[in-house]
Amino acid sequence: MNRRHFLQTAGAGSLALASGLTSCAPRYRNIAGHPMHRVPKLKLSLDRIVKETVGLRPFRASGPRIAKEALGNKTIVHNYGHGGSGWSLSWGTGNLARELVMTTGEKKVAVLGSGTVGLATARLLQEKGCEVTIYTKDLPPNVTSNLATGTWSPASRVCDPKVATPEFQAVWEAATRFSFRRFQFMLGLDDIAAWVDEYNVFPAKPINPSNPALGGEVYHLDGLVPKSQEINRRDHSFGADFVTWRSNMMFNIPSYLHHQMSTFIMLGGKLQVHEIKRLEDIDALPERCVVNCMGLGAKEIFNDAELTPVSGQLACLIPQSEVTYKLITKGANIIARKDGIYLGGNGLVGNWDTTPKREYTQEWVDIIQQVMQEMRS
Ligand SMILES: Cc1cc2nc3c(=O)[nH]c(=O)nc-3n(C[C@H](O)[C@H](O)[C@H](O)COP(=O)(O)OP(=O)(O)OC[C@H]3O[C@@H](n4cnc5c(N)ncnc54)[C@H](O)[C@@H]3O)c2cc1C
C-alpha cells in the first residue's frame, strides 16, 4: 500500500469512526477489519493473588462534610467523609476547603491526615503560599486511601441521594469539575493518572444502572468523561449480549501517593506522625487554622454519628503488562493497574471488620473466569 492509499484508507476509517459515534451500532474496526475491542485475557487463579485487603470507605448519607467551625480560638475546616469517591473528589473538595481557609487570613495551617484528601488539600494550600504542617496518625501505605480501586468515580457511594440536599449536589458538581481539570494536568506524569478502556459486560441490560455494585454512581455530569456506548457483538470478543465501552481515568495509587508526599515535602511542607486522641490535642497545635482530613478517624474526635464505614475488599493479582483495562460485570469487577490487577466488588455498610474473606475472592475469581472463558479468541 502506498502512502496516499494508506492516508485515504485511514481517512475513511476516521469517518466511519466519527459516524459510528452518532449511530446506535458503531463499528470500531482496525485497518485489517478486525474488531477494535479485542481484550487480552486475564491469567486468573487463586495462586496468582498476592494480596487481599479490606478498606473502609468513610460514608456520610448527606455527603462529605466541607464546613468551617470555631473551636476555642481555632478555626476548624472540615474535609472528610468522601465514601467511595475520595480519590476522585480530593482536589475538588480540597479546593473548597482551601477557600474556607483563605477566609481566615491565616498562612500557617495544620492539616490532619495524610490520605489522598489531606495530601491534595495540603498541596493546594501550598499553592496559595501557606506554610503547611500535616499531623497524621499513620502514613501511606497505612491509610484507607491506599486500599482503594483507583478510578475516576466522583459519585460512587458519595451520599444517599434521598438524604443529600440539592445544595450538596451543587457542591459536588463544583468539586467534580475542579478535580477533573486538575487530573488532566497529571496525565503523563509517571503514569500516576491515565485514561483506560472501561467495559461493562452483562448478559442483559442492567435494570438499575446506578447500583454501586454494578459500578453505578448516584450523580452524573455530562461533558467530562466520554459517554458509555453499547458495542455490537461482532465488534468485541466477549461472549455476553450487553457490552458497553467508554474511556475512564485510572489512578496508580502507590505512585500517586508517593508523588503527592514528595511534592509536598519538596515545596517545604512539614509532616509529623501525631495522633489526635481528643479535641484538646487539636487545641494544643501551634497553628490557628486546622483542616480536618481524618476520613473515618473524624468520627470519634468530632462525634459525627452520620459517618459510617462501607467496607470494600480487594484481591490483587500479579500484573500483566498487556492487560490495561477495567471490566465491570454482575457481582465482580477488575481494574488493571501498574502494581497489580485488582478484583473486587463489594460494599458492606456499617462493617468495621478489615479481615479479608477468602470466599469473596474465590467468588470474584469464578465470575471473572467465566467471562474470560466465554471470550472468543
Ligand atoms: C475498596 C475501596 C475502593 C475504592 N475505590 C475508589 C475509587 O475507585 N475511586 C475513588 O475516588 N475512591 C475510591 N475509594 C474511596 C477512597 O479510597 C476514600 O474516599 C478515600 O481514601 C478517603 O480519603 P481520606 O484521605 O479522607 O481518608 P484516609 O485515606 O483514611 O486518610 C485519613 C488520614 O487521617 C489520619 N487519621 C485518622 N485518624 C486520625 C487521628 N485520630 N489523628 C491523626 N490522624 C488521623 C490517617 O492516619 C490518615 O492519614 C475506595 C475505597 C475503598 C475502601
Side-chain angles (χ1 to χ4, degrees):
M1 184 187 288
N2 64 31
R3 186 169 177 270
R4 188 153 166 246
H5 183 209
F6 169 79
L7 289 175
Q8 277 168 354
T9 324
S14 342
L15 204 64
L17 187 77
S19 62
L21 287 173
T22 51
S23 81
C24 49
R27 310 256 187 286
Y28 296 100
R29 285 179 180 266
N30 65 20
I31 215 151
H34 292 132
M36 286 294 275
H37 297 280
R38 298 178 92 196
V39 171
K41 286 192 181 184
L42 277 183
K43 294 176 189 156
L44 256 174
S45 57
L46 278 179
D47 62 358
R48 290 181 67 81
I49 305 276
V50 291
K51 179 171 67 176
E52 287 168 294
T53 57
V54 178
L56 305 179
R57 301 172 183 91
F59 176 77
R60 300 179 83 244
S62 63
R65 185 173 179 202
I66 319 293
K68 189 169 87 168
E69 70 170 333
L71 178 76
N73 64 353
K74 300 233 192 267
T75 302
I76 309 289
V77 173
H78 296 288
N79 183 11
Y80 69 89
H82 295 67
S85 303
W87 276 95
S88 313
L89 291 178
S90 54
W91 292 107
T93 63
N95 179 47
L96 298 171
R98 173 172 70 175
E99 284 169 8
L100 294 174
V101 170
M102 290 300 128
T103 61
T104 67
E106 294 291 337
K107 283 287 184 185
K108 290 193 176 188
V109 183
V111 170
L112 309 180
S114 61
T116 187
V117 173
L119 288 168
T121 307
R123 293 266 291 95
L124 288 165
L125 287 165
Q126 287 179 318
E127 289 174 16
K128 287 284 181 205
C130 294
E131 273 181 51
V132 184
T133 303
I134 294 180
Y135 300 91
T136 184
K137 181 164 70 118
D138 290 303
L139 289 168
N142 302 316
V143 294
T144 297
S145 298
N146 195 46
L147 308 177
T149 321
T151 42
W152 172 254
S153 58
S156 171
R157 295 183 167 101
V158 72
C159 67
D160 177 345
K162 294 191 284 304
V163 175
T165 59
E167 289 75 30
F168 169 69
Q169 192 171 348
V171 165
W172 171 84
E173 185 172 328
T176 299
R177 288 191 188 283
F178 186 94
S179 268
F180 185 83
R181 271 198 310 279
R182 188 72 193 213
F183 283 123
Q184 305 320 303
F185 289 102
M186 302 185 88
L187 294 170
L189 254 179
D190 302 329
D191 276 333
I192 54 181
W195 284 94
V196 296
D197 286 327
E198 179 182 291
Y199 295 97
N200 277 32
V201 178
F202 289 94
K205 193 171 182 167
I207 297 162
N208 178 9
S210 64
N211 180 349
L214 305 180
E217 302 201 24
V218 294
Y219 300 133
H220 293 278
L221 204 49
D222 285 339
L224 301 180
V225 171
K227 279 198 166 62
S228 264
Q229 305 181 32
E230 189 172 342
I231 25 179
N232 192 297
R233 215 172 203 290
R234 72 190 137 180
D235 294 332
H236 63 75
S237 44
F238 296 106
D241 282 338
F242 184 77
V243 175
T244 64
W245 163 74
R246 69 170 179 174
S247 295
N248 195 4
M249 265 190 296
M250 186 197 63
F251 315 123
N252 279 309
I253 285 181
S255 52
Y256 193 146
L257 285 169
H258 180 71
H259 168 86
Q260 290 289 72
M261 294 266 287
S262 352
T263 313
F264 173 71
I265 302 291
M266 188 180 77
L267 295 174
K270 296 197 182 72
L271 215 146
Q272 273 189 38
V273 175
H274 177 81
E275 182 175 359
I276 303 295
K277 294 196 174 123
R278 55 192 81 79
L279 286 179
E280 288 76 3
D281 296 340
I282 298 179
D283 202 34
L285 298 176
E287 294 82 3
R288 292 222 309 231
C289 182
V290 178
V291 191
N292 166 21
C293 304
M294 292 192 289
L296 213 48
K299 183 173 177 66
E300 212 182 308
I301 308 296
F302 287 95
N303 202 18
D304 184 341
E306 203 189 332
L307 189 58
T308 302
V310 179
S311 71
Q313 180 167 323
L314 295 177
C316 175
L317 285 160
I318 296 169
Q320 276 173 254
S321 56
E322 74 282 15
V323 176
T324 56
Y325 55 89
K326 180 178 176 189
L327 187 152
I328 300 156
T329 190
K330 193 160 181 261
N333 57 57
I334 62 141
I335 174 142
R337 294 187 346 214
K338 281 269 149 100
D339 59 320
I341 300 169
Y342 286 80
L343 284 109
N346 67 352
L348 308 178
V349 180
N351 178 39
W352 288 92
D353 185 1
T354 54
T355 321
K357 308 266 183 309
R358 217 349 109 102
E359 56 267 32
Y360 290 136
T361 302
Q362 176 76 65
E363 190 184 324
W364 299 329
V365 167
D366 292 346
I367 291 171
I368 301 290
Q369 189 88 273
Q370 174 134 10
V371 173
M372 296 296 137
Q373 277 162 5
E374 287 170 1
M375 267 164 78
R376 298 188 298 273
S377 48

